[in-house]
Structure formats: C-alpha cells, structure tokens
C-alpha cells in the first residue's frame, strides 16, 4: 500500500489520538474543509464529528501520492462508515481536507 504523506499521517494520528492541540497544529491557520460537498467550519465540525464523539479512522487504502485515502471512520454519533478523504498540503501542514461517504 502506498504510504500516506507525512503531513496527512500526522493528521490521522492526531485524530486517532483524540488530541485537539496536535490536530490543529497539523493544520494551516486558514485551513478549510468540506463534508459531503458542503463547506464546514473546521472548529465546529471537529467538535461534533471528531473530539466530541470519540472519532477513529482506520485507513483502508491510499492514493494520489499519499494525499487521498479511504477509511473506515467510526464515531459515537454516526457509528462506522466508509469515507473518502482528500488533502491539500502546504508548507508542511494540511491547508484543506474534503471528506464524505465513499
């Protein structure tokens, strides 16, 4: 399997560790995101979908040089679902991520 880009790997590791500070340290100050094609506020989205619901991501496959992945994403709000993720990396941090059901 292709390896994740190191910046994307840090994003995944921080999410799986439920480490708010580490997670936001992996993002640029002006990072943006979308969920199922809808632009979201990262702080509000992560509060609900990640940190407030004990989210975990099990990577199933990696593509596009390590900046795309498909994962089994589980949280206490929605249960488990197959999700796709695309990342833009800038200056060693994630500047944008897009997620949705795969």
């Amino acid at each position: 399997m292709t390896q994740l880009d190191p910046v994307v790997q840090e994003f995944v590791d921080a999410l799986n560790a439920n480490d708010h500070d580490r997670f936001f340290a992996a993002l640029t100050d002006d990072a943006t995101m979308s969920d199922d094609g809808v632009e979201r506020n990262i702080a509000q989205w992560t509060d609900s979908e990640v940190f407030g619901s004990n989210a975990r991501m099990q990577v199933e496959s990696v593509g596009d040089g390590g900046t795309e992945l498909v994962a089994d994403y589980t949280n206490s709000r929605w249960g488990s679902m197959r999700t796709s993720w695309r990342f833009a990396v800038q200056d060693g941090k994630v500047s944008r991520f897009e997620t949705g059901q795969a």
Side-chain angles (χ1 to χ4, degrees):
M1 178 165 77
T2 302
Q3 294 294 306
L4 286 174
D5 178 285
V7 173
V8 175
Q9 184 67 62
E10 175 60 15
F11 176 101
V12 171
D13 291 347
L15 184 149
N16 284 338
N18 203 35
D19 188 330
H20 182 275
D21 293 340
R22 182 178 171 192
F23 180 87
F24 279 96
L27 304 177
T28 62
D29 291 341
D30 60 350
T32 60
M33 69 149 304
S34 68
D35 183 2
D36 283 328
V38 178
E39 292 297 310
R40 303 284 187 182
N41 174 290
I42 291 177
Q44 291 174 348
W45 186 87
T46 55
D47 212 34
S48 170
E49 303 295 330
V50 179
F51 303 112
S53 58
N54 197 34
R56 295 286 180 269
M57 178 188 297
Q58 177 66 43
V59 176
E60 294 179 356
S61 63
V62 177
D64 197 22
T67 60
E68 292 184 4
L69 62 89
V70 173
D72 178 31
Y73 188 81
T74 304
N75 68 23
S76 60
R77 183 172 181 197
W78 301 107
S80 182
M81 66 186 87
R82 194 162 186 260
T83 56
S84 62
W85 299 73
R86 298 184 68 175
F87 297 87
V89 174
Q90 176 183 0
D91 300 325
K93 295 191 175 202
V94 172
S95 60
R96 178 169 178 81
F97 65 94
E98 300 170 354
T99 186
Q101 292 199 41

